[in-house]
Amino acid sequence: MAEFGPADRRRLGVVHGSPKGLVPSKGAVVPPDTFTSWLIGSGGSRADLDGDGFGDVLGYGGPPGRPQGPHVLWGGPDGIAATASPTPVRLPAISGSASYRAVAGDFDGDGAADVAVATPPRSGGLAADLTVLYGPFTRDGAATRSGVQPSPTGEDFWRMAADEIDGRRATALIVYQGDDGEQVSGLLLAAGPGGPARTGRKLNPGMAAAFGDFDGDGARDVAVGDDGSRNNEPGYETEPPSVDRTLTVYYGDGRQAAFKGTSGAAVAGDFDGDGRDDLAFGGAAQVAATAPKVFWGAAGGLRAGTSVAGVGEGVPLAAGDFDGDGDDELVLVMGKEDSVVVVTDGRKALTRFETNDVPS
């Protein structure tokens, strides 16, 4: 599952894997007249929200003429029904339609998927509350229970990113400070039986984020980087050297490392099957589109990035073991309005297809 297309008409596409890899003809694109996706963000859009064994999609947006907000597109034996009306997530009554963003994770570590939402506070004012809706969910979009805590940033927020759900651990959550297009800091909140922590570690500014175990020590790491966006207000169009074209990696043992020279989207996966996650980062088009780099996992952490042969320009889109061979494939998107999908092994292109090849 991935989001692609122009910013004002983002579409959700689902392509199924097979022993031979992704099969575009067996996928589906959710048409804009069913659901218009809007800035899903980094991670937290794929989860089995009702616990039936089939993956679902948590999207942010809405059908035409209806309020934007978190919606669920339900999976089943035949995958996502692209033309079926999505189900709005039932939010606390105090939030109405004013929720900003939502991401899925397992924030209490019980094995059931949860949803974190930015909602208006009970006491009113400008700051958002962090509301966690704990699963499993009903097909009407209702959570089993919910919890509310004050904004981790101390002020208004709307962007979040969550670690991938794997059923064995609670997933960490990044809550970003409010932004107007510039790179801002996120707060990394650990999670456990009580849900996300109320306070967290402040990260270097960067709107791209990816979680993984990059050094293979069993502890989760996180990388944040400059995604290339900028505030267009006069005097705010640039970022400081510590942020501009910078990737910062925070390891689970407390170490920290930085790489310079690249900006764009971030996607993690074990592309070479060595048990350590790798990281694809880059593709931003601040002046001209750039080639993404793959930073390879190693015992000491991520190594300097290398290009993907035969790709050139491209933006990291997704990662997964789409052919069942035990290692992950890296998917890039390229072309005008993200019209071409390229499947790689992190070193070279394997296959490619046009998004128009996926049925609507």
Side-chain angles (χ1 to χ4, degrees):
M1 192 288 299
E3 184 188 43
F4 60 90
D8 59 346
R9 286 179 69 82
R10 300 294 284 174
R11 293 175 292 162
L12 293 175
V14 179
V15 178
H16 298 160
S18 76
K20 295 184 178 181
L22 292 175
V23 184
S25 63
K26 295 185 179 298
V29 173
V30 180
D33 57 354
T34 296
F35 183 81
T36 298
S37 183
W38 186 250
L39 297 174
I40 276 184
S42 302
S45 59
R46 293 168 289 181
D48 179 6
L49 291 164
D50 58 357
D52 66 352
F54 297 101
D56 311 308
V57 175
L58 176 67
Y60 184 87
R66 287 168 54 180
Q68 289 188 349
H71 288 70
V72 182
L73 293 91
W74 301 104
D78 298 319
I80 300 292
T83 58
S85 181
T87 302
V89 174
R90 290 194 183 181
L91 303 171
I94 57 168
S95 66
S97 61
S99 66
Y100 297 111
R101 202 63 56 84
V103 293
D106 182 5
F107 302 117
D108 58 359
D110 67 351
D114 312 314
V115 174
V117 192
T119 55
R122 298 177 186 275
S123 58
L126 297 177
D129 275 342
L130 174 61
T131 296
V132 181
L133 306 174
Y134 293 97
F137 288 73
T138 69
R139 280 296 181 111
D140 293 328
T144 299
R145 61 186 179 89
S146 64
V148 181
Q149 59 196 65
S151 165
T153 70
E155 55 188 19
D156 200 20
F157 75 93
W158 46 90
R159 298 183 196 263
M160 292 177 286
D163 197 356
E164 294 289 334
I165 300 171
D166 73 357
R168 295 172 293 175
R169 52 176 167 75
T171 52
L173 176 69
I174 297 176
V175 176
Y176 289 99
Q177 297 171 328
D179 72 280
D180 193 19
E182 73 275 24
Q183 304 299 300
V184 298
S185 293
L187 290 171
L188 177 63
L189 307 181
R198 290 179 173 257
T199 60
R201 180 178 186 178
K202 189 174 183 179
L203 306 176
N204 195 50
M207 305 305 295
F211 292 85
D213 182 4
F214 304 123
D215 55 5
D217 65 353
R220 299 299 287 174
D221 313 314
V222 63
V224 298
D226 175 9
D227 75 350
S229 67
R230 295 291 185 266
N231 188 325
N232 60 9
E233 296 293 332
Y236 294 91
E237 306 98 328
T238 60
E239 297 287 347
S242 61
V243 177
D244 181 57
R245 296 172 64 83
T246 299
L247 174 72
T248 307
V249 186
Y250 298 87
Y251 293 99
D253 62 5
R255 291 179 299 126
Q256 183 174 327
F259 300 90
K260 302 290 292 185
T262 308
S263 60
V267 170
D270 184 3
F271 308 133
D272 57 7
D274 68 351
R276 303 181 182 97
D277 287 314
D278 313 302
L279 178 73
F281 177 58
Q286 293 156 302
V287 178
T290 60
K293 301 285 189 181
V294 175
F295 297 80
W296 296 96
L302 291 178
R303 296 172 293 177
T306 59
S307 299
V308 181
V311 172
E313 301 174 0
V315 179
L317 184 67
D321 184 6
F322 304 119
D323 56 8
D325 67 350
D327 55 33
D328 292 327
E329 288 75 57
L330 167 65
V331 180
L332 307 172
V333 65
M334 56 195 303
K336 185 178 180 180
E337 295 186 352
D338 298 344
S339 59
V340 178
V341 174
V342 182
V343 183
T344 83
D345 61 4
R347 299 188 186 278
K348 63 182 182 300
L350 302 175
T351 61
R352 64 184 67 205
F353 57 88
E354 295 188 4
T355 54
N356 289 336
D357 295 335
V358 184
S360 297

